[in-house]
Amino acid sequence: MKTEEMQKKNSIDLEPFYQALEDDPKLLDEALEILLEMVNFEPKSIKKLALVIKEDSRNLYNEIVELSKSGQNKGNTPSCCGGH
C-alpha cells in the first residue's frame, strides 16, 4: 500500500503517535479537526486525502459514501414530511 511505502521513506517513528490517537478519542478528534482545517486551506489536498482514503481505507471510504447518500436523501424530503 502507498501508506506503507510513505512510512518506510519517513525515518520518523509514528507508532507512538498512532497509539496515542487510538488510546485517547479526544486526541483523535483534535487531530481530525486540525486535518480538516488544513484541507480547507489547501483545496488540492482534498483530492489527495480523498484518494488516500479510497485506496488505503476502504471501510472508511464506504462509510463516507453511505453518510453522503443518507444526507442527500434527507435533503430530498419535503419539509412537510420531515417529521418536524
Side-chain angles (χ1 to χ4, degrees):
M1 285 187 176
K2 289 183 180 182
T3 303
E4 291 172 352
E5 291 171 16
M6 288 171 36
Q7 287 176 352
K8 287 178 185 177
K9 290 179 184 177
N10 247 342
S11 60
I12 300 172
D13 181 18
L14 295 175
E15 193 58 38
F17 173 74
Y18 296 143
Q19 190 61 51
L21 293 178
E22 285 182 18
D23 292 345
D24 188 347
K26 189 175 180 178
L27 276 178
L28 179 60
D29 287 344
E30 289 177 23
L32 289 172
E33 188 174 325
I34 290 168
L35 177 63
L36 291 174
E37 286 177 16
M38 289 171 54
V39 169
N40 235 2
F41 290 114
E42 187 61 42
K44 291 180 183 177
S45 298
I46 295 170
K47 280 190 175 185
K48 289 179 185 177
L49 179 60
L51 288 172
V52 168
I53 290 171
K54 186 176 181 179
E55 292 175 8
D56 291 350
S57 303
R58 199 65 181 169
N59 290 338
L60 177 58
Y61 175 78
N62 290 337
E63 188 65 30
I64 291 169
V65 169
E66 286 302 313
L67 286 172
S68 174
K69 287 179 184 176
S70 68
Q72 289 174 357
N73 291 340
K74 287 181 184 177
N76 294 337
T77 305
S79 59
C80 66
C81 308
H84 296 251

